[in-house]
Structure formats: structure tokens, C-alpha cells
Amino acid sequence: MSSDLDALRKTVISCIKCELSKSRINAVPGHGSAKTEVIFIGEAPGRNEDLQGVPFVGTAGKILSEALAYAGFTREDVYITNVVKCRPPNNRRPNTQELDSCRNYLQKELDIIRPKIICILGNTAFGSLLNGNAITKNRGKIIQRDGQLYFVTIHPAAVIYNQELRQVLKDDLKMLFDVLDKIKKGIAIEINE
Ligand code: URA
Ligand code: SF4
């Protein structure tokens, strides 16, 4: 892990910038490789993540890891983080104030790693980063904003409620890594927005 990421992780662990610091057990900084070319961004830690201080280690995390494996990768190959680093009570969606308080940490993770593409997992990250909505309709899209590429897909937790989405997530991640491969080889990709 790079020293810059390490310093950031220490700042996040002791952060008390918003109300979520009062109810959390552990703040959950991003996890994975500093050398990755793709960052995955979810919503916020859940119960297991709050207990362990590591993102995507519960049921949704298993589903994400399974989809990564389908594309030929492990969670240690990439970097996984959330728009908000502390668990909201009862897993409610983070509110605007919490998103705004935490935004700078995500920005720093992106500035340090400088990924070739950012994979957005679900509506909360989509809304917060790109002002997007209707993830089911927009998943699979490649979006370019301010020179940064984004790939949009469903949140892994959606699979818990609709098993048909398991293969959708797997196929999307395969598509994402195919796109990344093309970017690295200088092959033109189709940008949707
Ligand atoms: N859901 C998320 O959005 N993030 C996690 O870290 C775990 C579950
Ligand atoms: Fe700090 Fe973000 Fe946790 Fe709020 S959610 S206390 S801003 S790390």
C-alpha cells in the first residue's frame, strides 16, 4: 500500500466529520492495490464491514468477489471503496450531509491511485458521483466526465433480492475488464455518454 494511501487510511479511521462517526464501530477506508487501474465504488459499509473495518466483506462482498473471479481477478488486484466510509444506522442510505462530509476522502483515493476507469456499483454511488439514477436502465454504460472514464453497474447487494442479477453483474464486470484491456492497448472504445 502506498504511503499516501496509508496516511489517508489513518485520517479516515479517526475521522469525526459527520454524525456517522457516533454510531460506527469502525470507519472503513478503501482496500486493495494502490497500483490498480480500476476502482470499485459502493455505497457505505454494512454490519460486517463496520465490525471488521474492511469494505465488502459481507454477503454483498462475496457476490462482488465472485463476479471479479468470473472476470479473472481477485479483490486484492483492484481497489474497493465506498462513497461514505462509516456505516449508516440500520444500513439506511447516507444523506446529503454525510455524502458531502466524506466526499473529499474518495477524491483523495482517486487522486492517489488515478485509475483508468472507475466502476460505479449501484444508485447511491451513481447519484453521488455522476448525478445519475435508474441504475438498471443505465448499467453497462461507459461515461466520460472531465476526462475520467466511468463504468456503471448494479450494486452487488441487488443480487440478494433478485438472483437473476447475479449473471448480469458477472457479465458487466467481464465487460469492464475487456474495456480496460482495450484502453491499455490503445483500441478505441465506444463511450455512451
Ligand atoms: N455495501 C456497500 O455498498 N459497501 C460495502 O462495503 C458493503 C456493502
Ligand atoms: Fe468521517 Fe466519512 Fe465517517 Fe463521516 S462517514 S465520520 S466524513 S469518514
Side-chain angles (χ1 to χ4, degrees), residues 42-46 49 55-56 60 82 155:
E43 177 177 301
E49 291 77 18
F56 282 98
N82 288 298
H155 193 287

Side-chain angles (χ1 to χ4, degrees), residues 20-90:
L20 295 181
S21 62
K22 295 185 181 157
S23 51
R24 75 177 181 222
I25 297 171
N26 289 296
V28 181
H31 175 93
S33 167
K35 288 184 292 206
T36 183
E37 287 160 325
V38 52
I39 293 188
F40 291 80
I41 306 178
E43 177 177 301
R47 183 168 173 274
N48 289 288
E49 291 77 18
D50 184 44
L51 288 170
Q52 296 184 44
V54 182
F56 282 98
V57 289
T59 313
K62 285 209 185 77
I63 294 164
L64 178 59
S65 292
E66 181 189 87
L68 280 168
Y70 184 77
F73 295 88
T74 72
R75 53 181 279 134
E76 304 303 326
D77 294 328
V78 300
Y79 188 86
I80 300 171
T81 193
N82 288 298
V83 284
V84 154
K85 313 303 191 207
C86 300
R87 183 193 185 198
N90 302 314

Side-chain angles (χ1 to χ4, degrees), residues 5-35:
L5 273 184
D6 226 21
L8 179 60
R9 141 186 298 276
K10 290 196 177 106
T11 309
V12 167
I13 285 170
S14 56
C15 177
I16 49 165
K17 277 201 293 183
C18 83
E19 288 288 304
L20 295 181
S21 62
K22 295 185 181 157
S23 51
R24 75 177 181 222
I25 297 171
N26 289 296
V28 181
H31 175 93
S33 167
K35 288 184 292 206

